[in-house]
Amino acid sequence: MCFKLLNTYLKVGKFFALTPPSIETDKNTTFRKIQQVFMILLIITCVTISVYVRNTLYSQYSLAKITVCLLNDIVLCIFCCRIVFETSKVSQWIELINSLKQTSCLLEETDNNKEERIQWKFIVPQVVFWIISIYLNVYWFTIMGVPILEQYAFEVLQNYVQLFYTFYVHTIIGMIQRRYEALKHHFESKFVANDKNLNQMGYYACTLKETVNRFNSIFGWSLLLLITFTTLQFLNYLEYNLQSQEFGTENVTQTVIAHVTAILLSFIPTVMLLLKCDNVMEEFEDIAFVVSKSSTQLLDPRIREEVDRLGHILVTHLPQFSAARFIFLGRSTLMGIFGTVATFFIVITTFEPKARTSILETAVNVSLSRT
């Protein structure tokens, strides 16, 4: 993947201090620092107003629900502020871009035919998000009136920040994946067992690993907060579904659909990001397999030793994406999210009889509405 899609995200994100201004950024200017401080203050103000407006509703919630709501707002606020602060890491950003440029030569033959689809990859997620957000706000307005707009107007903007940032990071991971794909293609189609070629392959493998390390140093904490927010958002709207009869029995089905849609709006981009991280590891494993297989087919002991050395370099340079070194990102992270949600569901249904009754009533109402 070339830099064109990344440049599109940078051009939009720089106006809101969500991304560096360009791939050529060499310093954090005074104007940029003022913009970052302004955005952080604006984010904190929006979250404070949102929590204050919803304070009257918290008295109707259980302790577990209040805890989830407050944690959700706090983590979202910290996440948005962290994104803005992240853009000040100019030196690390330059190192990341330089690492990507050093391996761009791998894409000369494999990436030129995808240029025409670049803009659609940026436009489609934005359009889908705003269509769903408008639909949800119109639906809740018809049920609850003006107060719902006051409660969730700021949350829509914060959720957009989450979606924009997720696809922005997804784009960078996609660029790394394309380089590993190209490197695998290079191994499979152009493998020549000589010292020069083997050293070049080892250099590219080390450079890509260095790229992943620099990515982790920049985005690690934000990704940890993103996963935490996605989990809390899942828990938050799951609990709303348990109490869906409060919005009227005639609106049970539509309310459940609205809550599920809100969950998916934040959950699907995070899932795509985690799967993209896992795809990079799969490409790397394919490369390691090709090198190991090539080693068994060589008769020259010296060349076989060099190939084995290349295999050792690959094994010691695994491209593992991590969230602040707390967890490694991939399919296993999804299981952790589902495990947390399942535990919360069991706790709610076990210790809150009202929630357990609500589940039964919701199931009955949905069944009756279908008949």
Side-chain angles (χ1 to χ4, degrees):
M1 185 178 297
C2 68
F3 287 91
K4 188 172 182 180
L5 180 58
L6 178 60
N7 281 328
T8 303
Y9 277 99
L10 296 180
K11 288 178 182 179
V12 177
K14 70 179 181 180
F15 292 106
F16 307 99
L18 300 178
T19 66
S22 70
I23 61 174
E24 305 296 340
T25 300
D26 58 353
K27 63 179 180 179
N28 201 24
T29 63
T30 302
F31 174 78
R32 186 73 178 171
K33 293 177 182 178
I34 295 175
Q35 186 183 21
Q36 291 167 348
V37 173
F38 174 78
M39 287 302 301
I40 290 176
L41 293 177
L42 179 62
I43 291 168
I44 295 175
T45 302
C46 290
V47 173
T48 303
I49 295 175
S50 180
V51 173
Y52 176 79
V53 172
R54 285 183 289 179
N55 186 49
T56 55
L57 294 178
Y58 287 163
S59 60
Q60 306 172 15
Y61 295 156
S62 63
L63 179 61
K65 176 64 175 177
I66 295 175
T67 303
V68 171
C69 287
L70 290 177
L71 285 176
N72 191 49
D73 290 330
I74 292 172
V75 170
L76 181 58
C77 179
I78 298 175
F79 170 69
C80 294
C81 292
R82 170 67 191 185
I83 293 174
V84 177
F85 172 76
E86 198 174 80
T87 62
S88 63
K89 296 185 175 183
V90 177
S91 59
Q92 293 175 313
W93 171 255
I94 290 297
E95 291 176 354
L96 174 63
I97 295 300
N98 288 337
S99 297
L100 291 172
K101 288 181 177 179
Q102 290 174 12
T103 51
S104 293
C105 57
L106 293 170
L107 307 177
E108 290 178 356
E109 298 180 4
T110 60
D111 209 50
N112 292 332
N113 59 346
K114 297 185 178 181
E115 291 289 329
E116 64 276 3
R117 294 184 293 176
I118 293 297
Q119 297 303 325
W120 286 108
K121 292 181 179 180
F122 175 81
I123 295 174
V124 171
Q126 320 293 320
V127 173
V128 171
F129 172 85
W130 287 111
I131 289 176
I132 293 177
S133 296
I134 293 172
Y135 162 75
L136 291 177
N137 279 274
V138 171
Y139 173 74
W140 289 119
F141 176 76
T142 58
I143 294 179
M144 302 183 65
V146 176
I148 194 68
L149 297 179
E150 298 175 353
Q151 296 163 24
Y152 295 102
F154 294 123
E155 185 175 328
V156 171
L157 296 178
Q158 292 164 347
N159 288 337
Y160 176 74
V161 170
Q162 181 250 336
L163 177 132
F164 182 90
Y165 180 82
T166 303
F167 279 100
Y168 157 63
V169 175
H170 181 275
T171 299
I172 299 177
I173 299 176
M175 296 173 68
I176 297 174
Q177 180 191 354
R178 289 290 298 122
R179 281 154 175 76
Y180 273 106
E181 289 177 354
L183 187 59
K184 181 178 70 173
H185 176 76
H186 185 76
F187 282 4
E188 293 174 338
S189 63
K190 301 180 181 180
F191 182 81
V192 179
N194 58 59
D195 294 342
K196 180 180 179 180
N197 195 50
L198 293 174
N199 289 336
Q200 185 182 47
M201 293 178 181
Y203 168 78
Y204 284 137
C206 293
T207 302
L208 287 174
K209 169 58 178 176
E210 187 178 23
T211 303
V212 174
N213 289 341
R214 287 168 175 167
F215 174 92
N216 291 335
S217 66
I218 296 175
F219 301 104
W221 280 102
S222 296
L223 293 177
L224 179 64
L225 292 169
L226 173 64
I227 294 170
T228 304
F229 167 74
T230 302
T231 305
L232 290 172
Q233 190 84 328
F234 204 142
L235 298 178
N236 191 20
Y237 282 101
L238 174 65
E239 218 281 336
Y240 277 131
N241 277 335
L242 301 184
Q243 307 293 340
S244 58
Q245 84 288 343
E246 294 180 0
F247 300 98
T249 56
E250 70 279 1
N251 298 315
V252 170
T253 302
Q254 296 89 336
T255 300
V256 171
I257 293 175
H259 287 154
V260 171
T261 303
I263 292 175
L264 295 178
L265 195 61
S266 63
F267 186 69
I268 289 181
T270 303
V271 170
M272 293 175 60
L273 179 66
L274 295 175
L275 292 180
K276 182 64 71 172
C277 294
D278 199 76
N279 290 341
V280 173
M281 180 58 70
E282 289 182 2
E283 295 294 339
F284 176 83
E285 291 173 352
D286 290 342
I287 294 172
F289 173 77
V290 171
V291 173
S292 299
K293 183 178 179 180
S294 300
S295 176
T296 62
Q297 298 173 347
L298 296 173
L299 299 179
D300 189 332
R302 187 184 68 83
I303 297 299
R304 184 187 303 164
E305 182 180 353
E306 290 297 320
V307 174
D308 290 338
R309 185 175 66 87
L310 175 62
H312 177 73
I313 291 175
L314 292 174
V315 171
T316 56
H317 289 78
L318 295 174
Q320 293 180 314
F321 295 93
S322 67
R325 304 189 70 174
F326 283 100
I327 56 175
F328 291 113
L329 304 180
R331 295 176 187 270
S332 59
T333 312
L334 292 177
M335 298 306 299
I337 294 176
F338 287 127
T340 302
V341 172
T343 302
F344 177 81
F345 184 83
I346 293 172
V347 170
I348 288 295
T349 56
T350 302
F351 296 100
E352 294 192 21
K354 181 180 178 181
R356 186 164 58 248
T357 302
S358 300
I359 296 174
L360 295 175
E361 291 180 356
T362 300
V364 171
N365 290 328
V366 171
S367 178
L368 291 175
S369 64
R370 289 179 178 178
T371 58

